[in-house]
Amino acid sequence: MSMLKDPSSKYRAFPAIDLPDRTWPSKTITEVPIWCSSDLRDGNQSLIEPMDAEKKMRFFKTLVQVGIKQIEVGFPSASQTDFDFVRRLIEEGHIPEDTTIQVLTQAREDLITRTFESLKGAKRAIVHVYNATAPSFRRIVFNQDKAGVIGIAVNAARIIKDLAAQQPSTEWTFQYSPEIFTSTELEFAVEVCDAVLDVWQPTPANKAILNLPATVEVATPNVYADQIEWFGRHISRRDSVLISLHTHNDRGTGVAASELGLMAGADRVEGCLFGNGERTGNVDLVNLALNLYTQGIHPGLDFSDIDNVRKVVEECNQIPVHPRHPYVGDLVHTAFSGSHQDAIRKGFSQQDANGIWEVPYLPIDPADIGRSYEAVIRVNSQSGKGGITYLLEQEYGICLPRRMQIEFSQVVQKETDRLGLEMSAEQIHSLLDSEYLQATAPYALKGHRLQEENSTSAVDVEVISKGDTQHWRGIGKGPLEALVAGLPVDVEIMDYAEHAIGAGTNAKAAAYIELRVDGGRSLYGVGIDENLTTASFRALFSALNRSLKQAEAQAA
Ligand code: KIV
Ligand code: ZN
């Protein structure tokens, strides 16, 4: 078996929706939808190992903490674990005042009855009933005509209404899903839903939920938006209905479909955290919510500690979140390309604390979702100077001069190539230390005496070389020039920079010198000391030793 030369012999294009006056393309999302988590139902159904009661409880509490107010907690007529879990939630009082649980049932009397049993004593509940409406299901799976499908839905709606009336202490909301909505003829989807509404008689004060699932995602997301807008225009009692989206992600556009569906007038979204769910998953509620957030709209959900939410979800689902997952993946606040790192570093340094977020390549401030700046940049063999420079500045207050950034990044790259791993800020700092600050051979600076008169400096440095003590003396216009004059080799200083590290009595000076020995390749040296002159002398010795070592290596 292999891919077909002509896939049209096997697959058909999804037909466009006839809606020339569609309005959704020019809309923007300004309202936060009602969020409904289906993690404990759709998500749970699709796990290799469905959650036990403890995991379900842990997940439920996390959903409550995040701020999701409608939670589909299970399929109690299909699973004893789910039935017991619903009972436990109600009997042990785990459902907060502002949160409504939802349960799913098939459109069969025995199952609906069992579902209502599971909900006894609930203060509030959404009963969610579904049956498949698409032509392929009518023909292939159920051998039902349209009237038969409407009959199943209407019968279930009646039973639900009657059973609800028998448990009047619960505040009921009814929800109907024409399963496989996206492949159902739109006129027929409206016909079935209208028939259900005729039974339920919802009002603006007590709305019914019509959930329109992309049970399988079969078309581009604009088609789903057209279907939602078309449905919203044609359904009766629009003011007594909440249109709910339930997109799966078979084509990888579940998030886009829900976003366009909201633009097309939907009121509510069902999905799962980080996109768990059947096959390719349900729409990712975190992704949707944070997309809204980055447009300046608070989604009403709290992902301030997104890593903790992810930990709970990963442990309950036993499925890891992909490292490239939007907003939460391990690598998504990381820039590997040097030019990206550079731009990010500049963005951070120019960021106004009270201003609009404008850091290149980062659509969200990682700090808003509990990710730290330390995690923003990692250094590996593909990294350029930006990340390295940023980490040294942030962690150690060391600001390398521009040309040295390039030089040191090559040193780091050699090391990451050798290790085949990322380097932490600490490892980078220790590499800077061993490569520059510990460059004390062949000449180790032991100490110096400095005499200054007017603008002339006379310096006497004590140097240890191969166990011998030497004294080099020189005179110049400043200490550094005097030292250069006393060196036994000919050097040319190409660049000099200095800055303070820290403040007050603990402050240190960092000095950087780029020099060229005997017309060779220029190299940097670094010196850090409490005393600025000592720091600059150390920098010079560091550069000198590195240059001599390099010349020696080249000669060998
Ligand atoms: O994807 C789907 O169609 C469902 C229904 C049960 C709503 O999960
Ligand atoms: Zn689903």
Side-chain angles (χ1 to χ4, degrees):
M1 293 285 271
S2 59
M3 284 180 74
L4 303 175
K5 280 204 173 73
D6 174 16
S8 73
S9 64
K10 191 167 181 177
Y11 301 101
R12 260 169 295 173
F14 198 90
I17 309 296
D18 182 20
L19 191 66
D21 58 343
R22 57 179 64 78
T23 62
W24 64 264
S26 55
K27 299 264 174 67
T28 45
I29 306 171
T30 53
E31 301 273 315
V32 177
I34 299 165
W35 304 110
C36 174
S37 153
S38 193
D39 286 277
L40 300 173
R41 198 279 295 170
D42 212 332
N44 187 51
Q45 262 176 250
S46 60
L47 296 176
I48 297 164
E49 197 184 312
M51 285 177 250
D52 61 17
E54 289 324 303
K55 282 191 178 139
K56 277 199 141 195
M57 186 59 81
R58 191 169 169 221
F59 208 132
F60 178 81
K61 291 194 166 157
T62 302
L63 292 167
V64 167
Q65 233 170 37
V66 159
I68 297 184
K69 304 295 180 205
Q70 297 190 353
I71 303 175
E72 193 166 48
V73 292
F75 201 159
S77 63
S79 140
Q80 187 63 41
T81 310
D82 282 12
F83 187 97
D84 295 342
F85 179 64
V86 178
R87 292 308 314 145
R88 192 174 157 203
L89 285 175
I90 296 166
E91 284 166 16
E92 294 179 7
H94 294 290
I95 307 162
E97 211 29 58
D98 62 354
T99 305
T100 306
I101 57 166
Q102 171 174 317
V103 289
L104 182 72
T105 176
Q106 282 182 355
R108 273 179 34 196
E109 182 163 11
D110 54 337
L111 302 180
I112 298 171
T113 305
R114 177 96 175 129
T115 303
F116 272 87
E117 273 167 31
S118 77
L119 290 168
K120 283 219 167 94
K123 192 140 193 255
R124 236 174 295 100
I126 301 169
V127 178
H128 176 190
V129 64
Y130 73 99
N131 66 324
T133 53
S136 58
F137 274 67
R138 299 195 305 257
R139 200 180 64 247
I140 303 168
V141 186
F142 300 120
N143 194 22
Q144 286 276 356
D145 59 10
K146 285 182 175 174
V149 168
I150 294 176
I152 292 169
V154 165
N155 188 43
R158 283 204 190 104
I159 297 165
I160 287 171
K161 197 174 178 187
D162 291 348
L163 289 176
Q166 291 168 32
Q167 289 175 218
S169 59
T170 302
E171 222 178 274
W172 297 105
T173 299
F174 304 145
Q175 172 168 332
Y176 174 67
S177 292
E179 196 196 5
I180 338 277
F181 162 78
T182 41
S183 299
T184 303
E185 309 89 327
L186 279 169
E187 291 82 358
F188 183 57
V190 166
E191 195 182 338
V192 183
C193 289
D194 272 343
V196 168
L197 295 181
D198 284 346
V199 177
W200 283 343
Q201 298 284 321
T203 63
N206 189 15
K207 295 183 183 182
I209 300 169
L210 293 176
N211 186 50
L212 306 177
T215 307
V216 181
E217 187 174 56
V218 287
T220 48
N222 60 304
V223 172
Y224 187 62
D226 277 353
Q227 291 169 321
I228 298 298
E229 183 164 342
W230 195 99
F231 185 94
R233 287 192 206 178
H234 289 84
I235 191 73
S236 65
R237 304 176 169 88
R238 178 65 186 90
D239 62 347
S240 303
V241 159
L242 292 169
I243 292 184
S244 174
L245 308 175
H246 179 112
T247 57
H248 282 265
N249 193 39
D250 299 81
R251 295 168 54 93
T253 54
V255 168
S258 279
E259 289 186 325
L260 301 192
L262 290 173
M263 288 156 61
D267 309 289
R268 179 181 189 265
V269 178
E270 287 190 355
C272 295
L273 301 189
F274 310 119
N276 184 38
E278 287 284 7
R279 305 178 309 283
T280 51
N282 286 72
V283 70
D284 175 358
L285 292 184
V286 181
N287 196 159
L288 270 180
L290 291 176
N291 281 358
L292 267 182
Y293 181 81
T294 58
Q295 300 304 300
I297 299 170
H298 200 291
L301 303 181
D302 186 2
F303 292 114
S304 300
D305 187 358
I306 202 166
D307 281 343
N308 186 48
V309 177
R310 169 180 137 178
K311 185 170 179 285
V312 174
V313 172
E314 284 183 329
E315 285 172 9
C316 292
N317 289 347
Q318 298 184 59
I319 296 179
V321 169
H322 195 281
R324 298 280 180 203
H325 199 101
Y327 301 110
V328 69
D330 273 339
L331 300 180
V332 300
H333 306 297
T334 306
F336 287 94
S337 130
S339 62
H340 289 207
Q341 292 180 350
D342 227 29
I344 289 170
R345 187 175 53 81
K346 286 178 182 146
F348 272 122
S349 68
Q350 287 168 36
Q351 195 59 27
D352 171 354
N354 300 313
I356 291 293
W357 180 250
E358 235 184 347
V359 174
Y361 299 111
L362 294 180
I364 193 168
D365 181 350
D368 290 358
I369 49 174
R371 302 289 289 257
S372 66
Y373 286 169
E374 286 79 33
V376 169
I377 290 172
R378 294 164 179 214
V379 172
N380 66 8
S381 61
Q382 289 132 58
S383 305
K385 59 186 171 22
I388 298 160
T389 309
Y390 179 78
L391 289 177
L392 284 175
E393 267 180 35
Q394 289 295 307
E395 301 288 324
Y396 298 97
I398 292 174
C399 308
L400 305 183
R402 198 168 159 68
R403 273 208 305 277
M404 185 178 165
Q405 292 172 14
I406 299 164
E407 186 193 282
F408 183 53
S409 72
Q410 286 159 3
V411 176
V412 172
Q413 192 166 3
K414 247 194 216 150
E415 185 70 357
T416 48
D417 278 340
R418 193 179 68 78
L419 295 171
L421 293 170
E422 284 181 5
M423 285 183 77
S424 65
E426 200 183 338
Q427 286 170 310
I428 293 167
H429 183 251
S430 105
L431 189 60
L432 184 84
D433 187 77
S434 60
E435 180 71 25
Y436 293 88
L437 297 162
Q438 306 302 328
T440 52
Y443 300 120
L445 173 65
K446 232 4 218 145
H448 74 265
R449 273 219 313 271
L450 182 65
Q451 278 181 309
E452 312 227 63
E453 214 174 313
N454 300 324
S455 55
T456 302
S457 305
V459 74
D460 177 350
V461 290
E462 190 181 328
V463 179
I464 312 274
S465 180
K466 296 186 184 140
D468 284 337
T469 302
Q470 304 176 8
H471 282 271
W472 300 346
R473 296 182 185 90
I475 294 176
K477 275 198 223 108
L480 209 52
E481 202 183 292
L483 176 58
V484 169
L487 296 179
V489 286
D490 195 8
V491 307
E492 194 186 344
I493 293 191
M494 319 293 294
D495 188 23
Y496 175 84
E498 63 186 39
H499 66 79
I501 302 176
T505 48
N506 291 326
K508 286 188 171 172
Y512 310 86
I513 289 178
E514 185 187 21
L515 59 73
R516 183 185 277 170
V517 176
D518 289 328
R521 198 188 123 199
S522 67
L523 282 178
Y524 271 91
V526 184
I528 295 178
D529 199 86
E530 276 89 357
N531 179 289
L532 177 58
T533 305
T534 308
S536 68
F537 283 11
R538 286 195 191 290
L540 190 134
F541 270 77
S542 157
L544 176 67
N545 286 325
R546 294 187 70 240
S547 298
L548 294 173
K549 220 167 154 187
Q550 195 194 55
E552 200 181 291
Q554 269 167 3

Coordinates of all heavy atoms in Angstrom, one line a residue, residues 17 23 61 68 88-89 116 118 138 151 161 199 212 246 298 302 339 342 373 395-396 415 493 508 513 515 536 554:
I17 N -19.8 26.1 1.9 CA -21.1 26.5 2.4 C -21.6 27.7 1.7 O -20.9 28.6 1.4 CB -21.0 26.8 4.0 CG1 -20.3 25.7 4.7 CG2 -22.4 27.1 4.5 CD1 -21.0 24.4 4.8
T23 N -20.7 37.1 7.8 CA -20.1 38.3 8.4 C -18.9 38.0 9.3 O -18.2 38.9 9.7 CB -21.2 38.9 9.3 OG1 -21.6 37.9 10.3 CG2 -22.5 39.3 8.6
K61 N -10.2 19.4 40.8 CA -9.8 20.5 41.7 C -8.9 21.5 40.9 O -9.0 22.7 41.1 CB -9.1 20.0 42.9 CG -10.1 19.2 43.8 CD -9.6 19.0 45.2 CE -10.8 18.6 46.1 NZ -10.5 17.8 47.2
I68 N -12.5 27.3 35.6 CA -13.5 26.8 34.7 C -14.8 26.5 35.4 O -14.8 25.8 36.4 CB -13.0 25.5 34.0 CG1 -11.7 25.9 33.2 CG2 -14.0 24.9 33.0 CD1 -11.1 24.9 32.3
R88 N -19.6 11.0 44.4 CA -18.7 11.5 45.4 C -18.6 13.0 45.4 O -18.6 13.7 46.4 CB -17.3 10.9 45.1 CG -16.3 11.1 46.2 CD -15.0 10.4 46.0 NE -14.0 11.0 46.7 CZ -12.7 11.0 46.5 NH1 -12.3 10.3 45.5 NH2 -11.8 11.6 47.2
L89 N -18.6 13.6 44.2 CA -18.5 15.0 44.0 C -19.7 15.7 44.8 O -19.6 16.7 45.5 CB -18.6 15.5 42.6 CG -17.3 15.3 41.7 CD1 -17.6 15.6 40.3 CD2 -16.1 16.1 42.3
F116 N -29.6 10.3 35.5 CA -30.3 11.1 36.5 C -30.1 10.6 37.9 O -30.0 11.4 38.9 CB -31.8 11.3 36.2 CG -32.0 12.4 35.3 CD1 -31.9 12.3 33.9 CD2 -32.3 13.7 35.8 CE1 -32.1 13.4 33.0 CE2 -32.5 14.8 34.9 CZ -32.4 14.6 33.6
S118 N -27.3 9.3 39.0 CA -26.0 9.7 39.4 C -26.0 11.2 39.9 O -25.2 11.6 40.7 CB -25.0 9.6 38.2 OG -25.2 10.7 37.3
R138 N -26.2 7.7 9.6 CA -27.6 7.3 9.4 C -27.6 6.0 8.5 O -28.2 5.0 8.8 CB -28.4 8.4 8.7 CG -28.5 9.7 9.5 CD -29.6 10.6 9.0 NE -29.6 11.0 7.7 CZ -29.2 12.1 7.2 NH1 -28.7 13.1 8.0 NH2 -29.2 12.4 5.9
G151 N -36.6 11.3 15.7 CA -37.3 10.5 16.7 C -36.5 10.2 18.0 O -36.9 10.4 19.1
K161 N -36.6 15.8 30.1 CA -37.5 16.8 30.7 C -38.3 16.2 31.8 O -38.4 16.8 32.9 CB -38.4 17.4 29.6 CG -39.0 18.7 30.0 CD -39.8 19.3 28.9 CE -40.4 20.6 29.4 NZ -41.3 21.2 28.5
V199 N -39.3 20.5 22.5 CA -39.6 19.7 23.7 C -39.2 20.5 24.9 O -39.9 20.6 25.9 CB -38.9 18.3 23.7 CG1 -39.2 17.6 25.0 CG2 -39.4 17.5 22.5
L212 N -22.3 22.0 18.9 CA -22.2 21.6 17.5 C -20.8 21.1 17.2 O -19.9 21.8 16.9 CB -22.4 22.9 16.7 CG -23.8 23.6 17.0 CD1 -23.9 24.8 16.1 CD2 -25.0 22.6 16.7
H246 N -17.4 22.5 19.8 CA -16.7 21.3 20.3 C -15.9 20.8 19.2 O -16.3 19.9 18.4 CB -17.8 20.3 20.8 CG -17.2 19.0 21.3 ND1 -17.3 18.6 22.6 CD2 -16.6 18.0 20.7 CE1 -16.8 17.4 22.8 NE2 -16.3 17.0 21.7
H298 N -8.7 39.3 29.0 CA -8.5 38.3 30.1 C -9.5 37.2 29.9 O -10.7 37.4 29.8 CB -8.6 38.9 31.5 CG -7.9 38.0 32.5 ND1 -8.4 36.8 32.8 CD2 -6.8 38.1 33.1 CE1 -7.6 36.2 33.6 NE2 -6.6 37.0 33.9
D302 N -7.2 31.3 35.0 CA -5.9 31.7 35.6 C -4.8 30.6 35.3 O -4.8 29.5 35.9 CB -6.1 31.8 37.1 CG -4.8 32.4 37.8 OD1 -3.8 32.6 37.1 OD2 -4.8 32.5 39.0
S339 N 20.1 35.1 15.9 CA 19.5 36.4 15.6 C 18.3 36.6 16.5 O 17.9 37.7 16.9 CB 19.2 36.5 14.1 OG 18.3 35.5 13.8
D342 N 19.4 37.5 20.0 CA 19.9 38.9 20.0 C 18.7 39.9 20.1 O 18.6 40.8 20.9 CB 20.6 39.2 18.7 CG 21.9 39.9 18.9 OD1 22.4 39.7 19.9 OD2 22.3 40.7 18.0
Y373 N 12.4 34.2 33.4 CA 13.4 34.6 32.4 C 14.6 33.7 32.2 O 15.1 33.5 31.2 CB 13.9 36.0 32.7 CG 12.8 37.1 32.5 CD1 13.1 38.4 32.9 CD2 11.7 36.8 31.8 CE1 12.1 39.4 32.7 CE2 10.7 37.8 31.6 CZ 11.0 39.1 32.1 OH 10.0 40.1 31.9
E395 N 22.5 36.8 35.0 CA 22.9 36.0 36.2 C 24.1 36.5 36.9 O 24.2 36.3 38.1 CB 23.2 34.5 35.7 CG 22.0 33.9 35.0 CD 20.9 33.5 36.0 OE1 21.2 33.1 37.1 OE2 19.7 33.6 35.6
Y396 N 25.1 37.1 36.2 CA 26.3 37.4 36.8 C 26.7 38.9 36.7 O 27.8 39.3 37.1 CB 27.5 36.6 36.2 CG 27.2 35.1 36.5 CD1 26.6 34.3 35.5 CD2 27.5 34.5 37.7 CE1 26.4 32.9 35.8 CE2 27.2 33.2 38.0 CZ 26.7 32.4 37.0 OH 26.4 31.1 37.3
E415 N 32.3 24.1 23.0 CA 32.0 23.3 24.1 C 30.7 22.6 24.0 O 30.6 21.4 24.4 CB 32.0 24.2 25.4 CG 31.8 23.5 26.7 CD 33.1 22.7 27.1 OE1 34.0 22.6 26.3 OE2 33.0 22.1 28.2
I493 N 46.8 47.2 21.6 CA 45.5 47.1 22.2 C 44.4 47.6 21.2 O 44.5 48.7 20.7 CB 45.4 47.9 23.5 CG1 46.3 47.2 24.5 CG2 44.0 48.0 24.1 CD1 46.2 47.7 25.9
K508 N 32.5 45.1 42.3 CA 33.8 44.7 41.6 C 33.9 45.4 40.3 O 32.9 45.8 39.8 CB 33.8 43.2 41.4 CG 34.0 42.4 42.7 CD 34.3 40.9 42.4 CE 34.7 40.2 43.7 NZ 34.8 38.8 43.5
I513 N 40.0 43.4 27.6 CA 41.0 44.0 26.7 C 41.1 43.1 25.5 O 41.3 41.9 25.6 CB 42.3 44.1 27.4 CG1 42.2 45.3 28.4 CG2 43.5 44.4 26.4 CD1 43.5 45.5 29.2
L515 N 43.6 42.4 22.4 CA 44.9 42.8 22.0 C 45.4 41.9 20.9 O 44.9 40.8 20.7 CB 45.9 43.0 23.1 CG 46.2 41.8 24.1 CD1 47.1 40.8 23.4 CD2 46.9 42.4 25.3
S536 N 42.1 45.7 35.2 CA 42.5 45.9 33.8 C 43.9 45.2 33.6 O 44.1 44.7 32.5 CB 42.6 47.4 33.5 OG 43.7 48.0 34.3
Q554 N 49.4 27.3 17.1 CA 49.4 27.4 15.6 C 50.8 27.0 15.1 O 50.9 26.4 14.0 CB 49.1 28.9 15.2 CG 47.6 29.1 14.9 CD 47.2 30.5 14.8 OE1 48.1 31.4 14.9 NE2 45.9 30.7 14.7

